[in-house]
Amino acid sequence: MTSADQLVPGVEVAVDVGPVAHGGHCVARHDGRVIFVRHAIPGERVLARVTEGAPGDRFVRADAVRVLHPDARRVEPSCPVAGPGGCGGCDFQHVQIGHQRELKARVVAEQLRRLAGLDRDVVVEPLDDAGGLGYRTRVELAVTTGEGGDAPPFVGLRRHRSHAVVPISDCPIADAPVREGIAAAAADARAGGLDPGTVAVDVVGPSGEGDVLLLEVDDSGDAERVSVRERVEAAGESHELSVDARGFWQVHRDAPRAFVEAVLDAAGAGAGDRVLDLYSGVGLFTVPLAAAVGARGQVVAVESDPLATRHLEANLAGLDQAVALRGRVDDVLGVARSGRRQRGRRGAAPARSPLIPPSADVVVLDPPRTGAGGPVVRAIAQLGPRTVVYVACDPAALARDTAPLAEHGYRLDALRAFDAFPMTHHVECVATFQRG
Ligand SMILES: C[S@@+](CC[C@H](N)C(=O)[O-])C[C@H]1O[C@@H](n2cnc3c(N)ncnc32)[C@H](O)[C@@H]1O
């Protein structure tokens, strides 16, 4: 039998696949060593080929390269590069879509249990797409010449945990216009039609007026600056927002609608309320929240990215009750950034922005994957909102940030989870915390 210390890249062992874990893999064990196996389903028996790991490591990574006992919910992937050694974008193309959602629900529930001590039944709701395909409105393609450098360039997507590029000319999780854009970029690359020095092509399919865009990115990360219009029809209203084509926008074509409706419903903001919309981006939630609080209310949106803030200001034009505040959330709330030196003093708190009101009725926050962190969450609680709506793209960060809210008397009242990234392990949560 292969011993735990012999589990090095290339070695294959037959394993029984255990539970799904956060990150798109399942947990198996061999000779006492944990193996994170991709392309497997809990309950299966598979031949796992080690892809990363060395003797003495706490765990090794592996791909299921042969299925010895398949789960009944195993399906043929729609994409030819979705399997072991292929594109790293999709983790779950081999799993029937309903079961993907069940696996993600288990991950969210497990993160809440482990990191926040909360027992919750979680349901992952589908968005409007073609059974988990045809949804992405943005894809960033890498451009490379491959080994040697004198071969013709090609476009592709990165392998899992690697810089290597898998050539593609189609991506079934992209929506129809973006798929056409990918095919066009692949043809351009083959024909030598990309500008010299292009390292990536961003394919962007906005929901408002305008065709799909192909933006060539140079090795300093720059591309032509283009603004696009995104139309959001949600809760019986229609909004059109201006966004930088390469700036943050929810990638699932139905996500802006679903998240706006979920946030409005959770926030329960009414006429005259004072609301903070933290990590606001270009104002996806700010604009409908401003409509909800009306002319007597107030919405303060905080966003650190200068370009996104410029679009935010443009999107708030005519909404006198809404103000855009450019800055980091921790800075404007007057919270010390952990580990940062400020004027020679480690972590000294900056002055709180005068535009942040002393109290708020509702706080909405939609931080990046790392979460908001304890100091920011505590500062939010100190504003005394009746409701905190936390939009989370990482359930582990949400679970970690739940504890400081609980310390201040906020309990998790409702949790919705959305399948905003089908075929991948990612899942979006909208958590509602109430005071008292
Ligand atoms: C997940 S996006 C959400 C944007 C918006 N709610 C939406 O759905 O379109 C997070 C946003 O937070 C911004 N951001 C990241 N770190 C930040 C910080 N420390 N302070 C303020 N904004 C930040 C990013 O630029 C990005 O626009």
Side-chain angles (χ1 to χ4, degrees):
M1 170 177 134
T2 310
S3 76
D5 275 347
Q6 289 170 315
L7 292 177
V8 293
V11 168
E12 294 180 356
V13 284
V15 291
D16 292 318
V17 179
V20 65
H22 189 27
H25 47 252
C26 299
V27 181
R29 281 173 200 277
H30 179 84
D31 189 28
R33 173 77 55 85
V34 170
I35 309 182
F36 289 154
V37 191
R38 292 187 87 227
H39 310 291
I41 302 178
E44 288 186 330
R45 183 161 178 81
V46 302
L47 190 66
R49 181 183 298 151
V50 177
T51 52
E52 267 182 76
D57 283 355
R58 235 168 12 91
F59 62 84
V60 300
R61 295 179 187 275
D63 282 345
V65 289
R66 195 143 57 86
V67 184
L68 307 172
H69 294 298
D71 184 276
R73 289 147 302 187
R74 178 170 275 275
V75 294
E76 194 56 39
S78 312
C79 175
V81 295
C87 164
C90 287
D91 311 287
F92 289 147
Q93 282 225 8
H94 61 287
V95 187
Q96 184 261 331
I97 186 69
H99 195 50
Q100 288 184 28
R101 293 185 191 123
E102 167 57 31
L103 296 180
K104 294 185 198 193
R106 287 183 206 169
V107 169
V108 175
E110 199 246 349
Q111 295 299 309
L112 285 173
R113 192 162 41 245
R114 208 162 57 78
L115 299 170
L118 292 173
D119 260 317
R120 286 282 158 152
D121 286 334
V122 179
V123 175
V124 174
E125 304 172 37
L127 298 185
D128 183 18
D129 53 39
L133 298 173
Y135 67 87
R136 270 194 91 97
T137 61
R138 277 149 171 82
V139 172
E140 183 178 335
L141 300 169
V143 178
T144 183
T145 50
E147 303 278 312
D150 51 1
F154 62 87
V155 300
L157 295 168
R158 307 243 176 235
R159 278 187 215 288
H160 184 60
R161 296 172 60 81
S162 164
H163 291 297
V165 178
V166 179
I168 64 154
S169 55
D170 189 16
C171 175
I173 66 170
D175 75 356
V178 172
R179 287 179 83 164
E180 283 173 24
I182 294 170
D188 270 4
R190 271 196 308 273
L194 299 179
D195 287 343
T198 298
V199 297
V201 177
D202 274 7
V203 185
V204 180
S207 56
E209 295 273 291
D211 293 333
V212 71
L213 297 168
L214 303 188
L215 298 169
E216 296 180 23
V217 182
D218 66 24
D219 58 5
S220 60
D222 287 336
E224 186 192 351
R225 282 247 167 280
V226 184
S227 299
V228 296
R229 308 287 299 171
E230 295 288 354
R231 194 175 312 117
V232 185
E233 317 264 351
E237 295 200 10
S238 178
H239 304 288
E240 198 162 294
L241 301 180
S242 152
V243 189
D244 182 75
R246 299 184 63 225
F248 182 88
W249 185 253
Q250 303 289 349
V251 294
H252 192 299
R253 61 177 153 77
D254 189 37
R257 174 206 63 79
F259 297 172
V260 166
E261 290 179 353
V263 165
L264 286 179
D265 196 37
D273 274 344
R274 194 186 263 173
V275 179
L276 293 191
D277 179 16
L278 306 178
Y279 312 89
S280 67
V282 300
L284 174 64
F285 305 138
T286 324
V287 172
L289 284 167
V293 301
R296 287 191 299 108
Q298 186 192 19
V299 184
V300 179
V302 182
E303 166 60 43
S304 62
D305 180 69
L307 192 55
T309 315
R310 283 217 292 280
H311 286 280
L312 172 66
E313 282 163 356
N315 294 330
L316 299 184
L319 291 169
D320 293 343
Q321 68 274 41
V323 52
L325 185 45
R326 176 181 148 192
R328 289 178 52 103
V329 168
D330 35 13
D331 286 350
V332 304
L333 290 179
V335 166
R337 292 189 210 171
S338 49
R340 191 185 59 154
R341 286 187 181 281
Q342 290 187 355
R343 295 206 180 94
R345 280 191 299 140
R346 191 176 189 83
R352 181 186 170 122
S353 164
L355 289 176
I356 295 292
S359 66
D361 298 299
V362 177
V363 176
V364 174
L365 72 159
D366 184 4
R369 201 159 291 287
T370 45
V376 165
V377 171
R378 286 187 195 96
I380 290 171
Q382 277 154 11
L383 296 169
R386 61 170 184 265
T387 304
V388 175
V389 183
Y390 193 134
V391 183
C393 54
D394 183 347
L398 168 65
R400 280 193 301 271
D401 284 343
T402 294
L405 278 170
E407 277 166 28
H408 285 76
Y410 287 85
R411 66 182 166 77
L412 179 61
D413 184 49
L415 176 75
R416 294 181 70 184
F418 295 95
D419 199 10
F421 311 91
M423 308 294 162
T424 79
H425 72 275
H426 297 287
V427 55
E428 192 87 11
C429 295
V430 177
T432 316
F433 296 84
Q434 305 287 5
R435 192 185 53 205

